[in-house]
Amino acid sequence: MAEKFERIAVYPGTFDPFTNGHLSLVRRGLGIFDRVIVAVAQDSGKNPLFSLDERVQMIREVFRGQGRVEVEGFSGLLVDYVCQKGLNTVLRGMRAVSDFEYEFQMALMNRKLKPSIHTVFMMTDYRWLYISSTIIKDVARLGGSIGSFVPEAILGQINERMDEYRSRLNGQQ
Ligand code: COA
């Protein structure tokens, strides 16, 4: 009998913080892959509010008890990380036409760096087309409610960090 072949996708991002849009994409990914590895990037050219360890820990909390999802941090090139794991598929979400150019550029660069790597795109659920980690942080910083945009399991931790941020800001005034 043939050995069972597992289809595994790596879903990379900065996830600062992880949102319901990312969650919805992982869920969709699980519809076509046996397992999804959420790969939290150290090197994404951004200056994250949450440390790499915090981001990994928060996303693990979101998927606690869900054996088909793993969460790991990585540094360096995405293609190197994927190859080191013996995998060849990257999962990416596409929110709108505006995402296309950047995604296209990244997929082609990754393919040029490692031709064996494939990028699979899935549409983000229409409910989350307009959100990004930055816009959610902006709303929270200014005291808006973000409860409907981020997973329940990490809402408290995000709000706590925003409260600290606001107190620091008030202290400076
Ligand atoms: N729902 C809601 N928001 C979403 C989303 C979804 N399904 N998908 C993406 N977003 C948001 C993200 O939160 C992010 O918001 P932000 O810009 O405010 O932080 C924004 O859309 C862009 O997301 P994405 O395109 O996934 O960027 P990223 O910074 O999260 O991830 C990496 C980029 C980590 C994949 C890329 O930098 C990388 O591979 N780094 C490793 C180093 C490397 O290999 N570099 C060369 C790449 S060619």
Side-chain angles (χ1 to χ4, degrees):
M1 200 165 72
E3 241 178 76
K4 184 174 175 338
F5 172 75
E6 267 202 316
R7 288 163 305 177
I8 305 173
V10 172
Y11 177 44
T14 308
F15 306 124
D16 183 51
F18 195 80
T19 69
N20 283 340
H22 299 128
L23 179 61
S24 138
L25 205 86
V26 172
R27 288 195 176 134
R28 284 167 168 237
L30 289 172
I32 52 172
F33 295 100
D34 298 303
R35 283 199 284 144
V36 171
I37 300 176
V38 180
V40 187
Q42 167 106 292
D43 305 304
S44 61
K46 293 181 179 173
N47 183 17
L49 177 69
F50 294 94
S51 70
L52 181 65
D53 284 349
E54 285 173 324
R55 284 176 279 146
V56 168
Q57 169 268 317
M58 286 196 287
I59 305 169
R60 283 194 179 141
E61 200 54 43
V62 172
F63 294 106
R64 182 192 284 269
Q66 298 186 40
R68 291 170 63 204
V69 181
E70 275 171 51
V71 185
E72 263 188 10
F74 77 99
S75 56
L77 285 175
L78 172 66
V79 288
D80 289 340
Y81 168 78
V82 174
C83 283
Q84 276 156 21
K85 300 205 68 79
L87 302 174
N88 70 356
T89 309
V90 171
L91 173 64
R92 295 286 294 163
M94 195 81 87
R95 283 170 304 172
V97 180
S98 51
D99 279 345
F100 180 78
E101 216 169 307
Y102 171 65
E103 290 300 332
F104 193 59
Q105 190 183 23
M106 202 157 68
L108 288 180
M109 175 55 86
N110 283 337
R111 195 192 294 167
K112 178 78 185 161
L113 292 168
K114 285 270 194 288
S116 57
I117 300 231
H118 303 287
T119 304
V120 172
F121 295 101
M122 292 187 87
M123 292 303 297
T124 297
D125 190 293
Y126 71 93
R127 285 174 300 165
W128 314 115
L129 283 183
Y130 63 101
I131 66 168
S132 71
S133 298
T134 300
I135 206 164
I136 284 170
K137 280 182 287 190
D138 282 348
V139 169
R141 269 192 195 114
L142 298 169
S145 164
I146 55 164
S148 48
F149 304 119
V150 299
E152 173 93 48
I154 58 172
L155 175 62
Q157 197 169 339
I158 299 170
N159 278 334
E160 215 173 281
R161 179 60 56 86
M162 294 306 171
D163 289 345
E164 285 166 19
Y165 172 84
R166 277 198 302 275
S167 324
R168 242 182 299 130
L169 206 68
N170 290 337
Q172 284 166 9
Q173 282 166 0

